[in-house]
Every structure is written in C-alpha cells, then in structure tokens.
Amino acid sequence: MKRGLQENEREEGGGPSAGSQETPDWTSKQRREEDEEEEDEGVNWECLPQEILLHIFQHLPLLDRAFASQVCRGWNQAFHMPELWRCFEFELNQPASSYLKATHPDLIKQIIKRHSNHLQYVSFKVDSSTESAEAACDILSQLVNCSLKTLGLISTARPSFMEMPKSHFISALTVVFVNSKSLSSLKIDDTPVDDPSLKVLVANNSDTLKLLKMSSCPHVSPAGIMCVADQCHGLRELALNYHLLSDELLIALSSERHVHLEHLRINVVSENPGQQFHSIKKSSWDAMVRHSPKFNLVMYFFIYEEEFDPFFRDEIPVTHLYFGRSVSKDVLGRVGLTCPRLVELVVCANGLRPLDEELIRIAQHCTQLSAIGLGECEVSCSAFVEFVKMCGDRLTQLSIMEEVLVPDHRYELDDIHWEVSKHLGRVWFPDMMPTW
Amino acid sequence: MAPNSIHWFRKGLRLHDNPALREAVQGAATVRCVYFLDPWFAGSSNVGVNRWRFLLQCLEDLDSNLRKLNSRLFVIRGQPANVFPRLFKEWKISRLTFEYDSEPFGKERDAAIKKLAMEAGVEVIVKISHTLYNLDKIIELNGGQPPLTYKRFQTLISRLDPPEMPVETLSDTLMGSCITPISDDHGEKYGVPSLEELGFDTEGLPSAVWPGGETEALTRIERHLERKAWVANFERPRMNANSLLASPTGLSPYLRFGCLSCRLFYFKLTDLYRKVKKNSSPPLSLYGQLLWREFFYTAATNNPRFDKMEGNPICVRIPWDKNPEALAKWAEAKTGFPWIDAIMTQLRQEGWIHHLARHAVACFLTRGDLWISWEEGMKVFEELLLDADWSVNAGSWMWLSCSSFFQQFFHCYCPVGFGRRTDPNGDFIRRYLPVLRGFPAKFIYDPWNAPESVQAAAKCIIGLHYPKPMVHHAEASRLNIERMKQIYQQLSRYRGLVHRRLALTPLTPVHVPSWVRARSLFSTTPSILLSNGISSVRLYPHLWLTCSGGGRLVTFCLHPKI
C-alpha cells in the first residue's frame, strides 16, 4: 500500500514543488539521517499535506481509498474531502439478475448523508430488475441539495427504467431538474421521460444544457423535443429517435442563437413491418449544414427492407451510417448518390447478390469515406480491390467479414489481402470467424 | 528386466499415430491400455446422452481393435489419482505413458499423477499428439503470451517447422513380444459399460448420426479426401442448405476425442493438395479447421480461467443478464424463432451443427438478442455438442459473443433473415420442427407474421402449437448494439492512461481518476467499428505489465512480418 502511494507520488512528479504551502518534513535529508529507526527513511506520512493526499487519493479506486481512510484521522478527513465526491457511479444490481456487484448500500447511505451536495457528475448503472431502477430513482429523489452537472441513467441490460412506475421515475427526475439548475449533460435513453418533464428540464437548465441523449423514449413527442431545441441554445449533442425528428426541429437547431451542433444521433426503428416513416426536407438538412458545417450526423437504421422508401431520395448530410438489419442493393445504390458527407458505412447484412456497382459508386461519390464494415454481404474480389484502389489510404477502418469476398477469375481468397494491403499502404486481412 | 507398461487413454482414442502408446509397448513385457471413467474428465452431470454414447462407441472400437492384437482395453471405474497406486502395485508397473493434455486442469491432474508415479518408481513418458504443434513453442515464439488474433497465430505457425509426421499404427510387429495378460473375468471387471449401465434410458433413442470410434473416423477421412479430390477445389465451399445437415465426411467429433489424429489429417490434406494442384506449397487456409482448433488450445493452455468471464485476463467484463427462463427457452428450442429452434433441435438430437449455425445461435443468446452470458451457452454446448472440448468451446463462445480476441461487434445475425438467406425453401426447418411443416417458404422463418388463414391451413397456430417469438429482434438488437458500443467505448477511453497496478489488465474495468471521468462523460465516439486503436493491442494484457514510468509502450506488431 505504501509502495503504491510512493509510486503515485512520483507519477505526479510530486516533490516539494507540488504546490504545498510548507516545506514538508519528509523531503528533509537531515530528518532522514536523524531518524534511524524509521524504516521509510524518515518519511512521516501523517504530515502529508491535504492537497497532496487529495491528489493521491484521486488515483486510488474507491475501495483502496476506503482502506486508506481507516489509517488515521487525517487520512479519514482527506477521504471525505468534497473534491473526491464530485464524481460517482452508482451500480445497482440484484444478484438474481446480474453477475456484477452493486455499490454497497451503506456507502450509498453515507454518500447521501455526507456528500450529496458535493456530487456533480453522477451516473446510475442498473441491471434488468425493476428493483434496481427503483433504487436508482430513490437515490435521485434524495439528491435535493445536489447541483448536478452531469446525469446518466444507464440500463446495462434490459431497459428496467421502462418497467417501473412512470410517476415514480418522473418525480425523481424532476427533483434533479429543479435542483440542479446547471445540468450540462443528460443521458436518459430508454426511460419513460415525457414532455412535461422535459419542460421542467428546460425551465431550469436551458442555459447550461449541452448534451442530451434520449433515444427510445416513447413518451416524448416532437413538440416535447421542440421545446428543448427552442430554449437550449447551447445544445451540442443530441440523440433521439426518428419519430421525434422534424423539419421544425432542424430549423430550430440551425437558428442564429444556437451554437454549432456537434453531434446528432438518430435511431430509425421499426415497431412492425410496413411502418410508414415521414421524410425530412432537403432544405432543413441544408440549413443544418450551413449552420454547423462540421457536425456529425449518425443514423442507425433498424427497419425492414421495404420501409426504406422515404430515405435516401434527396441529399442528406449523414456522416455515419449503420444498417442493423438487412438493407437492399437498391438502397445502398441510393446511398452512393445522396450521402456526400459519408465518413463511415456499416452494413450488417444485404443478401446474396454482389454489391460491386454500389460499392464503386460509394467510392466515387463519398469522398470523405474512411471507414467501412460489411457483414453478411457479397462483393466480388475484383470489385473490392477496385473499391480500395479508389479510396486509397483514406480508408483507416476496413472491416470485412471473410465470407463477403467472392473469388473470381482475377483473385483468389488467399491473395486478395496482398492486393488490398498494397493499395491501403498497410497490412490488411478480412475479419474471420472460427470454423470448426 | 523388461518393464510392465500402462498406456493411459484420455483423448487420443486411437491406435494410429499414437507415439505414447508406441512407447508403452516398445521393449515392454506387458502392456495394459486403461481408460478411466473419471467423472471429472468424461463429464459430470453436464454430459448429454449423445456424448456418452459417442465415447462408449470409441471405447468399444478401441477394445475391438486391441483384440485383433491379442490385447484388450481396461475400463476402470474411479479417479486416476486414487486407483493408479493400486494398479502400479498389482500389475508391477514400471512405465506409464499417455498423450499430452494441454488444458490447464489436465496439466494439473497429470502433474499429480507424475508425482505419484515417481514415488512408485514408475517411469512416465508423455508425447504430444493431440495438437499439430508443441503449443509452448508457439507461446515462446510470441514472447511468452498466446496470440490473441488468428492472423498473428497464423504468422507464428508459418515460422515454425512443420508438424511431425504421424507415427505408424500399433501392429503385431510393433508389439513384438509384448503381451497383455487378460483374465477370464475381464469383461465384468474392465469391460466397456453400456449406456444403460451409466443410467441412461435408451428406449426410443434414435441411432447415432455420428457413430463413435477410430474405425469410423478413418473411413470418414478417406471419404472426405475423395470428395475434395473429386471436386478438385480446395476453396471454402459456399454455404447452402445441404451444408446444414450432418455430413458423412464430417470429422470434428473424431478430432475432439482423438479417434482421428490431427497430424494424419494434416498430412493427408497436404499430399492431396500437392497431387491435385501440382503445387508444392499449400496455403494455410487449407488447414482452417485444424488451425482454429490449435489456436484455441494455445490461447487456453496457460489460463485456468479461460472458461470464465470473471478473473479471465483476456475476457471483457460485459454486464450480461441473468435470466434462467430465457436461457431455458433457448436451450430447449422454444424461442419462437424457427431458425434458432431448428438448430437447437438438431444439436440436441444429433450432437453436431454447422459452424454458421453455431454463430447464429450463439449470437442470438448473447450479444444479438437475449444478452445472456456466453458461459451459459458454453455449458449447453458442452452438454450437447460432440466436438466441444474445454478450450475450443470456451474460446469460440468468447469469440462469438465479442468478449475477447478483438472482435468487431457490428455484425449481428438476424434470426429470421440469416436462415432465410441460407435455406430459402426452409427444408431444414421442416426437417427438425415438423410442427411447422405446413408453412410455405414465405412464412416459415417468421410464422407469427403469417395471416390466420395460413396458420390454420398449416394446422399450427402460433402461440398455441408453436411459441410466439420471445423477443422483438429489432428492438433487442438495437439495445444490445448500444450496450456493446458503451462497453467498448469505455475501454478505448481508458486506453490513453498508463496504469501501474500490475494486477489489473486493460480488459477489466480500470479505475479512472475522477477528474478524468468527470469531463465529457457521455460524449460519443460516432464510430461503431472497433477502432484500430483497440485492435492494435495497446490493450493487450501483457503490455501493461511492461509499461514503465517513461510512458514507453512496447508496441506489439499485430501484423505479420512476412
């Protein structure tokens, strides 16, 4: 333990010049010589200044810090310094539903009692049990003295926040929204947050909100999110589902008063086959690009092949595209023509007809493309080599499942990786799966 | 004094290419081949009837082949550690031989037996023949750590000398003057038990699709090579509906039990390739099946926790869900997804499924749909799958669940679409799930979408005669891909920090000082692909151990220096 601390001191370049206000005894050579009985060459740990202790403690995991706090009163005081309690991740797991350990209930009690007004960056990781989600909300409800900057409600398996009584969730969340007044980051994906609670969020935190992640929050309507866009002009990152996206929203995010948007993540999810999706006007996207020329537009598609009609008809400034289900050749062809800003394309599955033309077209038109991932697709080796040639070394990520490449008259599977490596300027192999 | 030998069969259940067995008979007066029905190895309660039957058939075959050499197999009930001392005394043994077992528990067991033998004055001879190479050499060549990517593994292999040639089959000539004393009551004392004796109810048990034994294995390998020669094509065959069915040339269970020597297979493949292609150097991909097996053996040999998530230095800690009901539905082929259920039915009935079928069900259980721990899936495979042994099974499950080996996780197998693309007509489904026979190809993969009239015509109402789908796939996969992304994003965020705590490895959660964590807690990396950063092994466990205060990172070349 002591040795560990010593190392950490050195890591800090910590000598007497590390901002301490007095000359610490423990660097004095004189003292070292005097105190022969001291094993540690005259180092008197009790005299370590609080600032140094703080620095050291910040590098220790919680458990080790807790052990250290039992050593003496001074270290116990250091353990409770507010700076060490700014950031906390509550892990709420039940043995019946998770393999991972939970934050000790006594520790939770201590934090609420002694440190709730120190907390600024808080996240809750809950497992699939409703009890864990409810426990998280109980804790939230007690954080009345908190002025949180960051709050994350993260379900690590099934979305248990959706299983608990909605009113309990909303009231706990509202406590935080009302008391914090300086929330900057909020991550509430897969929760039953609704329009009224978003109003409360906006009423209290519109000046400070920078990041809002609320994918798959079924109780929010387009009007609810409009309220956020209209009032929170500092918003830089937003994640939501496609049904909340509207032309008005994009225009609002592009208004003069708004800062540049950095990141917009959209999940397009189909509940049932044959769902109709609305389309967004090209002019709305153009406004976004004019206002925030560097923003990332990340779109994840989880829809059926026949539901792609409204998409990729007009130019869309998408940068990162993920097709989580099978997507047709036709749609991939349209992607080549409508996505000039495309940086990353990942296709989970397509089918058994080669995507040769579509890939070449993408190489031609998507000049920013630097990452591509192909799962269950087919591409002839020649077309693939052609694609790589056209993209050249701007392709930093090339993740192709081995089965994708179909050998043809020019290339066998065994020599394709040489060809590709040549054009990429580095050694490359396809991704493999065990065959036994 | 010519020694009395015992040859101890564990795997390696064959008389061909068995160097340890050869050592047993060489210059010996007597030889006795023993097999322990050791609950630890042959499986505890977690071994299904197909695996037991296969094993018993292997033992019967051994016994019958030994009889041709005037010898017999001695099947001994009990634990080797308990029984060996008695046997050493009773049979006046001075030589013990066995095939090297690379698995951690095997090594531990064998070390204990070696000690016993030494105390009893018994010479112990161990030979490597279950793997192509000496795995320790591969590890040594890689700086003391097993390679964690298949490409790295292939590079190392290509630098080694080729595997040793298979040794000659045990014959009368080899036996020479060595004999096996057989008592009249050998059958009662040391005979191969039957399934019934082991407590299985065999009434109505269909005959084995995969019959066990060396004889069967050797027939199959000839057929396998004939087919390859006839096709004159060594490419990986395109997947089609037929590939899903058990093949009379399939070899994996025989390799696992050692009925077929991997070295024999290797050299026969090489010879055939050279004959057909008139080319002297076959590509490594020719030996794909064998090398994957070798890869996992190598990865596992020094890691006793290879089959666990907790405490396993190469396994990412993923917050899997504990859900026994969901697990049971998957294991018992009641998920409501015909593709998944047909595969699991084939697995339970026959003991083998195609490797792409394994990917499909493994993905469904873990990172695709149910978000259940790969350890659970591994246990079910251990029970039912004939060719699943500890290293290969655990390694494959970690691979397929993206828990290790730097796998990209974006690729999710759809439980409807993947099957449909593989077998559009749905014959595989109809064969293993007869209740769905009446469905047309259009709906057989997603019968819940079929109109009531179609269901009625098929005499199968979904929800009544066949379960409704247990998850909404789009929703489940959306959630799960997000979870995986969160986990790997956290890993990559910690990548930049040099951490001195030697006990931790980067694939386990690393403590991040709070002042680092507080900043940009949730802002995203837009990419879903595992960045080169992660796969370029700066997270590789042993690297962190060698980090020094100067921040010098030993870069470990993933890419082959060819």
Side-chain angles (χ1 to χ4, degrees), chain A residues 108-179:
Chain A
I108 296 179
K109 280 201 198 98
Q110 262 227 349
I111 293 175
I112 296 177
K113 203 169 102 182
R114 289 182 74 161
H115 297 292
S116 61
N117 53 335
H118 302 148
L119 289 173
Q120 287 180 343
Y121 308 94
V122 174
S123 59
F124 291 85
K125 282 196 165 154
V126 305
D127 67 7
S128 2
S129 66
T130 325
E131 292 100 315
S132 301
E134 291 188 334
C137 292
D138 284 335
I139 299 171
L140 269 180
S141 311
Q142 295 178 67
L143 297 180
V144 233
N145 296 321
C146 250
S147 186
L148 290 184
K149 295 210 169 90
T150 309
L151 174 63
L153 299 178
I154 302 164
S155 33
T156 59
R158 289 201 300 273
S160 42
F161 286 111
M162 296 300 297
E163 315 277 308
M164 61 177 287
K166 179 170 175 261
S167 49
H168 184 186
F169 178 82
I170 299 293
S171 59
L173 204 58
T174 315
V175 165
V176 176
F177 290 169
V178 166
N179 288 294

Side-chain angles (χ1 to χ4, degrees), chain A residues 60 95 97 128 150 155 157-158 190 213 216 237 265 271 322 344 376 396-397 399 402 412 414 436, chain B residues 235-236 285 321-323 358 399 408 410 421 472 478 481-483 511 522-524 527-528 532:
Chain A
L60 292 177
S97 42
S128 2
T150 309
S155 33
R158 289 201 300 273
D190 295 295
K213 295 204 167 170
S216 300
E237 290 193 34
R265 153 81 184 261
E271 304 295 315
Y322 174 63
E344 176 176 293
E376 249 185 278
T396 50
Q397 283 289 331
S399 187
E402 203 189 15
E412 299 275 319
D414 288 314
W436 83 104
Chain B
E235 304 295 344
R236 184 129 41 129
S285 58
D321 199 15
K322 260 194 207 174
N323 191 340
R358 295 176 204 207
W399 189 292
Q408 294 286 351
F410 70 84
R421 288 185 281 274
H472 186 270
R478 176 202 67 82
I481 207 106
E482 200 52 48
R483 305 282 173 261
H511 169 69
F522 305 128
S523 79
T524 339
S527 173
I528 199 175
N532 277 327

